[in-house]
Amino acid sequence: MMALDDKIAQSMEILNGAIAEHRPSHLFGLFSGGHDSLVATHLASKHPAFTRAVHINTTIGIEQTRQFVRDTSRDRQWRLLEYTPPVSYRDIVLEHGFPGPGGHRFMYTRLKERCVDRLVREHKTKWNDRIALITGVRLSESVRRMGHVEPVKRDGCQLWVAPILHWDDDDKLEYIAREGLKRNSVVDTICMSGECLCGAFAKKEELFELGEAFPETAAVILALQEEAAAAGVHAKWGTRPPGKRGKATKGGMLCSSCNQRNGLMEEAA
C-alpha cells in the first residue's frame, strides 16, 4: 500500500505529465464542495499553472455547500468562478417534469455540461487550445476491477485530469487533516455534498432525510413538486416518470459519484 507522500507525488506526476503533453493555457480546479474535489483543487492550486477554482451552481443544491466553496476559495486565496446553467433546474422541471434514472444524462447536459462548455469557450486563446479541468474523480475497488481507466482524457479542447484517481478514503482524509483543510459540514451530515439534487438517482427516503438535515432545501423541492403538478408534468422528485422504463443513463465527468454508485462505468477520468 502506497503512503500518502507517494500518492501525492503520483498525483503531481499526473498533473505535470498532462501539462507537458498537452500544454493547456489554463488549469481550473472544478470544486463542487465535496471532499474529493476539495483535495483535487488544493493539489492543483500548488501547481504553478493553476488558474482558478470553478464551481458549477446547478440551481438545485444545498446553499451551505455553495457557501463552503466560496468561503474556502476566499480563505485559500483561490480566485473563484461560479457558473450557472442558462436554463434553471426549476424551468427544466416545469417543462419536462422531474427526471428518473433515464433522465440523468439529460440533466447532466443541461445543468453541468453547458457550464463547462461556456468556461472553455470563454478562456480559449486559439482554436486548438487546451483547457485543463481538474476533477476529484476517484475509483472504488469495485469499479477499478471493471476496466482500465486513465487519469487524463482529452475531449477536443477539454483536458480532463483526475490527479487523485487512485486515492482511497484514508488517503483523502489524511490529506485533509495534514493540510488543515476545513471540512464541508454538509458532507459530514449527509455523506454527500448536495451540490446537485436533480433527483435522477435519489433514494426512496432521500427527500425525508434531506428535510431533516436541510429543511430549506427540501422546501424548495416540495414547492417545485406543487408547481410541476399544476403544470401537468411528472411531479414527484426522485421517482421514475410513469411509463418510462428505459435504462439508467450515465452522466459525464462531473457525475462520476452518481455513475459509480449506480453501476455505470466511467470510460475515463
Side-chain angles (χ1 to χ4, degrees):
M1 183 178 295
M2 294 176 65
L4 179 60
D5 286 335
D6 295 326
K7 290 285 185 72
I8 293 172
Q10 180 188 55
S11 296
M12 298 312 292
E13 286 179 8
I14 290 171
L15 283 171
N16 287 330
I19 292 169
E21 180 178 354
H22 298 280
R23 300 187 180 279
S25 64
H26 295 74
L27 190 152
F28 293 109
L30 300 180
F31 187 15
S32 69
H35 292 158
D36 291 344
S37 70
L38 169 65
V39 170
T41 300
H42 187 267
L43 276 169
S45 73
K46 295 182 176 184
H47 199 284
F50 181 72
T51 306
R52 291 189 176 196
V54 174
H55 180 69
I56 295 177
N57 180 342
T58 63
T59 71
I60 182 62
I62 298 174
E63 181 60 29
Q64 289 90 328
T65 285
R66 298 177 191 137
Q67 194 58 50
F68 170 78
V69 167
R70 296 165 190 147
D71 292 345
T72 301
S73 297
R74 180 199 63 221
D75 294 344
R76 293 288 163 178
Q77 298 184 323
W78 301 335
R79 294 181 298 168
L80 176 67
L81 293 172
E82 185 170 330
Y83 283 85
T84 56
V87 180
S88 70
Y89 177 78
R90 173 182 176 274
D91 289 344
I92 293 170
V93 167
L94 292 182
E95 180 177 355
H96 300 281
F98 286 101
H104 182 226
R105 177 69 206 192
F106 175 75
M107 281 296 175
Y108 175 82
T109 298
R110 299 292 293 272
L111 297 178
K112 294 184 178 181
E113 189 170 73
R114 292 185 178 182
C115 292
V116 173
D117 289 344
R118 180 184 163 197
L119 169 69
V120 171
R121 187 169 60 249
E122 290 179 349
H123 292 88
K124 282 177 58 177
T125 57
K126 52 186 180 297
W127 71 271
N128 62 344
D129 199 358
R130 306 284 184 265
I131 305 296
L133 307 168
I134 308 303
T135 78
V137 171
R138 293 189 300 120
L139 291 179
S140 67
E141 286 300 326
S142 60
V143 174
R144 188 177 292 118
R145 289 193 296 267
M146 292 173 65
H148 182 64
V149 180
E150 294 292 340
V152 179
K153 177 184 178 181
R154 186 174 72 82
D155 182 9
C157 293
Q158 299 176 13
L159 181 66
W160 294 87
V161 185
I164 64 169
L165 186 69
H166 302 294
W167 290 36
D168 59 26
D169 285 340
D170 290 340
D171 297 325
K172 175 182 67 176
L173 296 177
E174 183 181 348
Y175 185 89
I176 288 172
R178 178 191 292 191
E179 295 292 336
L181 300 177
K182 183 177 179 181
R183 298 167 62 96
N184 183 356
S185 62
V186 175
V187 177
D188 291 335
T189 301
I190 61 173
C191 299
M192 62 179 184
S193 68
E195 47 86 29
C196 183
L197 296 172
C198 78
F201 288 130
K203 299 176 296 183
K204 184 177 181 180
E205 67 278 9
E206 192 167 317
L207 186 55
F208 172 78
E209 294 174 351
L210 192 62
E212 290 286 300
F214 300 100
E216 302 90 349
T217 303
V220 170
I221 296 172
L222 291 171
L224 184 53
Q225 287 188 152
E226 295 183 5
E227 288 189 84
V233 296
H234 179 55
K236 191 171 182 182
W237 182 87
T239 64
R240 188 187 298 269
K244 293 191 176 181
R245 298 295 176 186
K247 293 182 179 179
T249 53
K250 183 176 70 174
M253 299 296 184
L254 300 183
C255 279
S256 62
S257 59
C258 287
N259 293 336
Q260 291 185 18
R261 189 164 55 244
N262 292 281
L264 301 172
M265 177 61 176
E266 280 290 349
E267 294 174 358

